[in-house]
Amino acid sequence: MSDALAGFLTTLDLVDTGARTTEDIFTGPSQSMPNGRVFGGQVLAQALIAATRTVDDDRAVHSLHGYFLRPGDASADITFAVDRIHDGRSFTTRRAQAYQNGVPILSAILSFQTADSGLEHQIEMPTDLPGPDELPSAVEVLSAVDHPVARTWARERAFDMRHVPNPIYFSVEGEREARQAVWIRSLGALPDDPDLHRAALVYASDYTILEPVMRRHGVSWARPDLKMASLDHAMWWHRFARADEWLLYTQSSPSASGGRGLALGRIYDLGGRLIASVAQEGMVRVKD
């Protein structure tokens, strides 16, 4: 197992403190980041793990709606408080809040459901895109770059990501379209825990979701005046898939205005099943 993947799993291994008020309390570590801020996908995944620990085993998460309230400190642990809002016959609702230094950095509502049958359809997966084996990995693109962010993205991320048509790390090539696709999977095998795979999916979903906003305006990650921050994040799990197998993450941005950009995503497995849908609004600012 790679160091990056082992670190990822350690981050999601929350500790039940045994403390109880009206809420269940857990703690978890933060991953080191070059900008010193907690990665949004990390705290979302940890909040999901914390909430899952309070739910019966026969109920799986189907939706998450989270708001990022403050930048997190990547050098400090995070405390998670889970409020058991409702337990119904089929659905369970939880509120999970993440705290550092006594103030919340994330507030999320999550819903869980028992396995059920019903009507079924989906938007079909695109079939005209190159496969992951035809595309360079982030390691291949970034490993020769001597910069702390490039080193982190190349060596310390637990996921392999391969862009269609190309990454926008240094420049935006080709048409300025507000859409792209990214093949994603973990760098190695994950444990056979479905809840961990769902948490891994929300973790990885935050990496590139705002890039269609950037691509549309020719803004690369290397642009020195770029300021970005996730504001909220929503995710719906439709079907189960393993996060250690290739998944296609299609992304688009229907609008950007007021210093904010909205992005939508769909995640498919190799069999073409729609696994999850994602929506995020973020602050995206550059100088005019």
Side-chain angles (χ1 to χ4, degrees), residues 52-220:
T52 300
R53 297 270 186 91
T54 72
V55 176
D56 292 342
D57 291 340
D58 65 342
R59 301 183 181 212
V61 67
H62 71 88
S63 71
L64 176 155
H65 299 262
Y67 280 89
F68 299 99
L69 305 176
R70 295 175 176 84
D73 180 357
S75 66
D77 290 348
I78 304 174
T79 298
F80 295 87
V82 179
D83 185 2
R84 303 189 183 209
I85 294 176
H86 178 68
D87 290 280
R89 288 186 298 178
S90 299
F91 292 89
T92 291
T93 307
R94 295 289 185 262
R95 181 183 66 189
Q97 300 219 120
Y99 292 88
Q100 283 185 323
N101 300 316
V103 296
I105 63 172
L106 173 84
S107 183
I109 296 287
L110 306 96
S111 183
F112 300 77
Q113 184 190 10
T114 56
D116 203 353
S117 59
L119 303 176
E120 186 163 334
H121 73 273
Q122 69 167 69
I123 293 177
E124 296 303 311
M125 173 181 170
T127 58
D128 58 347
L129 302 177
D133 293 339
E134 304 172 61
L135 301 165
S137 68
V139 173
E140 293 172 312
V141 175
L142 294 171
S143 59
V145 180
D146 186 17
H147 187 278
V149 174
R151 289 194 296 270
T152 297
W153 288 6
R155 301 297 181 187
E156 298 178 23
R157 284 180 166 180
F159 289 83
D160 189 349
M161 289 175 286
R162 306 188 179 198
H163 284 72
V164 182
N166 44 52
I168 59 170
Y169 301 128
F170 311 113
S171 62
V172 179
E173 308 296 336
E175 294 186 34
R176 303 288 176 84
E177 295 184 311
R179 60 190 178 96
Q180 65 174 23
V182 184
W183 288 98
I184 58 172
R185 72 172 176 185
S186 64
L187 291 177
L190 295 173
D192 294 328
D193 177 354
D195 292 327
L196 179 62
H197 285 266
R198 295 183 183 99
L201 202 57
V202 72
Y203 180 104
S205 72
D206 188 41
Y207 275 133
T208 59
I209 184 62
L210 290 178
E211 287 187 347
V213 179
M214 301 165 61
R215 188 180 293 274
R216 170 63 177 80
H217 296 275
V219 176
S220 74

Side-chain angles (χ1 to χ4, degrees), residues 39-44 64-68 106 201-214 221 228-236 249 251-256 260-266 277-284:
F39 170 53
Q42 172 207 301
V43 71
L44 285 169
L64 176 155
H65 299 262
Y67 280 89
F68 299 99
L106 173 84
L201 202 57
V202 72
Y203 180 104
S205 72
D206 188 41
Y207 275 133
T208 59
I209 184 62
L210 290 178
E211 287 187 347
V213 179
M214 301 165 61
W221 285 106
M228 290 185 61
S230 301
L231 298 175
D232 61 14
H233 192 101
M235 188 161 180
W236 298 264
Y249 191 6
Q251 303 162 353
S252 64
S253 174
S255 177
R260 306 182 318 277
L262 175 65
L264 309 175
R266 299 188 183 100
S277 298
V278 183
Q280 183 178 109
E281 187 174 49
M283 181 193 77
V284 183

